[in-house]
Amino acid sequence: MAETKKIAVIAGDGIGPEVVAEAIKVMKKTEELFGLSFEFEHGLFGGIAIDEKGTPLPQETLDICKNADAVLLGAVGGPKWDNNSKELRPETGLLGIRKELGLFSNIRPANVFDCLREASTLKPEVLEGTDLIVVRELTGGIYFGEKFRREGEHGEEAVDTCVYNVAEVERIVRQAFDIAQKRRKHLTSVDKANVLETSRLWREVVNRIAPEYPDVELEHVLVDNCAMQLLRRPASFDVIVTENMFGDILSDEAAMLTGSIGMLSSASLGEGSFGLYEPVHGSAPDIAGQGISNPIATILSVALMYRLTFGYEAAAQAIEDAVSEVLNSGHRTGDIAVDKSSAVGTTEMGDLIVAALKA
Ligand code: NAD
């Protein structure tokens, strides 16, 4: 029996609780099959926390997260809170939790399930074999630099500054090399070193660290070229590492390769093995409470948690295989179904994946 791991569960709003319930079902089945052991502690977060505690991120929720080995998050937000002031918006809680937990990288896999290739806007033959991860720096760069307005020679000007220090680049680049080493051992570092000084520093640091990972093949690609190559030859990428703004854009582009938001998992990591795992999608208020949301993105986030935080590779692979098997046998939730009338609901999809899990 593996050591008991503490999981903070923050289901959130809208479809968050529905999809998180299915992910927990899958975790419980893997406890049985792989001798794993989890202790779940639930916390309020987002809109529901505003309603019940008067803040999107109550201190007790933060304490539950800080005490845990990993966090499983559903989604937050909804029209009910859209017109609230900034401090009372669910999304403010998201920024707060990332900052408080020291999460400096965001990891987004984009892998195309063969049976869903038709759902993408790209040609199936271009997509064949696509299985990549974007590692995005989350706490530095132009989004966090000094911003101001001033009176210039030609009138009003706006200034955004982009700053990166060596330590910030080093920690994310090492993390990306570590991930690449556990995969197909290919790392693409994306920058704009032909024009930006921060990018030149980025590239220097990457080149300095590379010899520590002699088994990982490294390539540098300029961000504009990378945006093109993602559409032209997506299958040739393994791990892409890049700074905050480039990563924001490229990870959304990569996400679209797979065709459906209901399938996309993500992780935000800090120092050590701690991580927060969540689906890429939001709280989908338009379908909340109907039992039709796709739980696969959240279930695949559990596979990411097993792999990146706990090193439970066999159980992670078993979850991904179970998802593939269920999709290959033709089961679909409404968002990925061609024939909507035969779509399965959220709990049924969860049950099918649980039933397909094998040790
Ligand atoms: P969304 O991702 O919630 O929904 C976009 C569309 O995709 C909707 O039509 C929705 O029904 C569909 N969809 C999303 N997830 C699905 C799933 N699992 N199964 C089936 N269909 C799914 O994005 P939005 O509508 O722009 O935002 C809704 C709310 O969620 C907003 O309040 C927004 O701020 C919030 N949001 C939260 C997060 C987060 O918690 N990390 C991320 C994005 C948006």
Side-chain angles (χ1 to χ4, degrees):
M1 185 81 156
E3 186 193 334
T4 299
K5 304 290 186 189
K6 282 193 191 152
I7 310 295
V9 180
I10 38 186
D13 308 313
I15 62 168
E18 304 169 17
V19 292
V20 163
E22 299 313 306
I24 290 180
K25 232 154 71 177
V26 167
M27 292 180 79
K28 291 198 162 143
K29 183 69 185 181
T30 60
E31 285 185 306
E32 249 173 65
L33 290 174
F34 294 89
L36 309 179
S37 170
F38 300 107
E39 200 178 287
F40 299 96
E41 202 168 349
H42 296 255
L44 291 175
F45 184 56
I48 187 174
I50 295 172
D51 289 353
E52 293 190 19
K53 303 279 174 182
T55 167
L57 178 55
Q59 185 59 43
E60 56 199 270
T61 300
L62 206 47
D63 291 342
I64 291 174
C65 293
K66 286 183 174 168
N67 255 320
D69 298 300
V71 181
L72 179 65
L73 174 66
V76 295
K80 183 175 176 194
W81 306 281
D82 274 352
N83 298 320
N84 282 8
S85 63
K86 189 164 171 253
E87 318 72 70
L88 287 183
R89 284 182 57 92
E91 294 78 4
T92 305
L94 275 177
L95 294 179
I97 202 165
R98 290 189 180 126
K99 182 160 168 273
E100 290 285 338
L101 298 178
L103 305 171
F104 62 81
S105 77
N106 185 252
I107 316 273
R108 279 214 213 163
N111 51 338
V112 178
F113 287 89
D114 277 346
C115 59
L116 293 181
R117 270 190 294 173
E118 306 298 331
S120 171
T121 52
L122 290 195
K123 292 193 189 105
E125 63 270 27
V126 174
L127 281 175
E128 174 131 36
T130 295
D131 174 10
L132 62 89
I133 287 189
V134 180
V135 178
R136 165 190 169 192
E137 204 288 328
L138 210 51
T139 57
I142 199 159
Y143 293 172
F144 290 88
E146 202 188 339
K147 311 171 190 317
F148 54 92
R149 300 280 178 106
R150 69 183 173 200
E151 218 31 59
E153 216 179 300
H154 305 286
E156 189 181 10
E157 293 176 344
V159 181
D160 292 294
T161 45
C162 183
V163 181
Y164 269 107
N165 64 47
V166 170
E168 281 171 327
V169 182
E170 273 177 356
R171 63 183 183 182
I172 184 118
V173 166
R174 284 219 164 78
Q175 202 172 67
F177 268 113
D178 285 338
I179 292 172
Q181 209 164 36
K182 291 186 201 128
R183 291 173 44 98
R184 300 196 306 279
K185 301 186 177 17
H186 188 271
L187 181 65
T188 305
S189 173
V190 174
D191 61 35
K192 190 71 183 167
N194 51 345
V195 268
L196 296 179
E197 201 51 41
T198 43
S199 280
R200 284 192 271 273
L201 177 76
W202 181 279
R203 200 176 274 217
E204 269 168 43
V205 171
V206 173
N207 283 335
R208 186 155 45 71
I209 290 175
E212 296 171 28
Y213 299 85
D215 53 337
V216 177
E217 190 190 337
L218 169 69
E219 68 171 340
H220 296 282
V221 176
L222 296 174
V223 62
D224 41 346
N225 186 22
C226 186
M228 279 199 297
Q229 300 306 334
L230 268 175
L231 299 183
R232 202 170 72 89
R233 51 167 183 98
S236 70
F237 291 99
D238 178 14
V239 179
I240 294 174
V241 63
T242 190
E243 59 101 79
N244 202 345
M245 183 167 68
F246 298 161
D248 190 8
I249 298 165
L250 292 179
S251 59
D252 268 19
E253 186 189 353
M256 272 319 292
L257 298 173
T258 69
S260 174
I261 186 127
M263 302 288 300
L264 293 163
S265 59
S266 83
S268 300
L269 304 179
E271 299 288 359
S273 59
F274 182 83
L276 177 147
Y277 297 83
E278 61 180 320
V280 166
H281 61 71
S283 58
D286 52 335
I287 57 166
Q290 298 176 30
I292 57 169
S293 60
N294 185 350
I296 294 180
T298 315
I299 290 170
L300 291 175
S301 300
V302 169
L304 260 189
M305 176 198 289
Y306 283 7
R307 188 167 282 134
L308 297 178
T309 288
F310 300 129
Y312 296 158
E313 179 56 38
Q317 192 60 50
I319 293 174
E320 290 165 355
D321 290 347
V323 169
S324 288
E325 190 184 314
V326 169
L327 292 172
N328 284 336
S329 44
H331 302 290
R332 305 273 191 276
T333 44
D335 57 320
I336 50 174
V338 179
D339 171 14
K340 306 279 178 215
S341 66
S342 64
V344 302
T346 313
T347 44
E348 199 179 347
M349 180 53 93
D351 290 342
L352 285 162
I353 293 169
V354 166
L357 271 169
K358 291 177 206 67

